[in-house]
Amino acid sequence: QITLKESGPTLVEPTQTLTLTCTFSGFSLTTTGVGVGWIRQPPGTALEWLALIYWDDDKSYSPSLKSRLTITKDTSKNQVVLTMTNMDPVDTATYYCAHFIYYYGSSGSQYNWFDPWGQGTLVTVSS
Amino acid sequence: QSVLSQPPSVSGAPGQRVTIPCTGSSSNIGAGHDVHWYQQFPGTAPKLLISGSSNRFSGSKSGTSASLAITGLQAEDEADYYCQSYDSSLSGVVFGGGTKLTVL
């Protein structure tokens, strides 16, 4: 059974750096075709993908937030860490990590999905 | 502004069939990338909807659009639904803006 859980501060002041940890079990981040992603959801609004880290340590980031994000993994601890710099009140959201599966079709198309998700952690940015 | 477009809300009576459209572009759905759907109840994390796990939920794709069909609508289907794909131009995952399903 795959499980993931997010941890980190619930309150961050503007301009500070947010560090979130995703601790997972039930899979290995050294397995081909596996990754862990971070997604956030501001109150009452839609999901927004933030970052992905793949089994081979490749990384991808949302273009709009790329300059502020860093994702790393520690396979020995089964953890993935996301840092986001220069936090602003608009970054107030529930942050989720999720197990990610991907593979490529014959024409180069991507098949990928998040399953399962962690329970999420609400981060409020306020002074 | 989400890359994939969904209507903010849809509704249907119990037992009816409803569809939720997801409109993309040539760099995501139109490029042949897969589309997946998630169901989210208030205060909980999204959950992947897998067609086949329930005969009532099924996904389809045509051109630059996809849709989720729910048949035999039940009260417990009332939730938010999100589509998700991959975008070649952005080199990343994209989500729809979400659709709130109301069972009348």
Side-chain angles (χ1 to χ4, degrees):
Chain A
Q1 180 191 6
I2 292 175
T3 64
L4 306 98
K5 188 172 183 179
E6 307 85 354
S7 60
T10 57
L11 180 65
V12 176
E13 292 188 0
T15 74
Q16 282 190 333
T17 294
L18 170 68
T19 299
L20 293 173
T21 300
C22 176
T23 303
F24 59 85
S25 63
F27 69 96
S28 171
L29 245 186
T30 60
T31 301
T32 303
V34 170
V36 170
W38 285 93
I39 305 100
R40 72 178 179 181
Q41 185 174 37
T45 64
L47 301 170
E48 178 184 19
W49 169 68
L50 300 177
L52 273 168
I53 190 162
Y54 298 84
W55 66 279
D56 58 357
D57 209 36
D58 195 12
K59 301 157 190 176
S60 62
Y61 298 98
S62 166
S64 62
L65 294 167
K66 185 174 183 177
S67 63
R68 300 172 53 203
L69 295 173
T70 302
I71 190 170
T72 60
K73 64 181 174 72
D74 186 332
T75 53
S76 65
K77 292 182 180 179
N78 279 356
Q79 290 182 333
V80 171
V81 175
L82 180 76
T83 60
M84 180 181 290
T85 61
N86 195 24
M87 293 292 285
D88 183 272
V90 300
D91 296 314
T92 294
T94 296
Y95 287 75
Y96 298 99
C97 64
H99 175 249
F100 184 72
I101 293 289
Y102 71 100
Y103 62 94
Y104 296 93
S106 56
S107 59
S109 54
Q110 271 226 20
Y111 296 78
N112 57 56
W113 60 92
F114 294 103
D115 180 51
W117 296 53
Q119 63 187 27
T121 184
L122 175 61
V123 177
T124 301
V125 185
S126 175
S127 54
Chain B
Q1 191 82 357
S2 301
V3 173
L4 304 179
S5 297
Q6 298 180 236
S9 63
V10 298
S11 63
Q16 281 189 334
R17 178 181 186 272
V18 296
T19 60
I20 300 175
C22 172
T23 303
S25 67
S26 58
S27 61
N28 41 68
I29 300 175
H33 300 311
D34 203 16
V35 178
H36 289 275
W37 293 88
Y38 301 87
Q39 179 187 56
Q40 184 180 34
F41 296 106
T44 68
K47 183 178 179 181
L48 178 70
L49 275 177
I50 304 173
S51 64
S53 64
S54 166
N55 291 333
R56 299 192 302 109
F57 294 86
S58 62
S60 63
K61 195 174 71 162
S62 178
T64 59
S65 295
S67 66
L68 174 69
I70 309 172
T71 58
L73 206 57
Q74 299 177 3
E76 60 258 36
D77 297 331
E78 193 162 283
D80 293 326
Y81 293 83
Y82 293 89
C83 58
Q84 173 254 308
S85 186
Y86 179 83
D87 192 287
S88 303
S89 297
L90 300 175
S91 296
V93 171
V94 289
F95 284 98
T99 298
K100 181 176 180 56
L101 169 63
T102 300
V103 180
L104 301 170

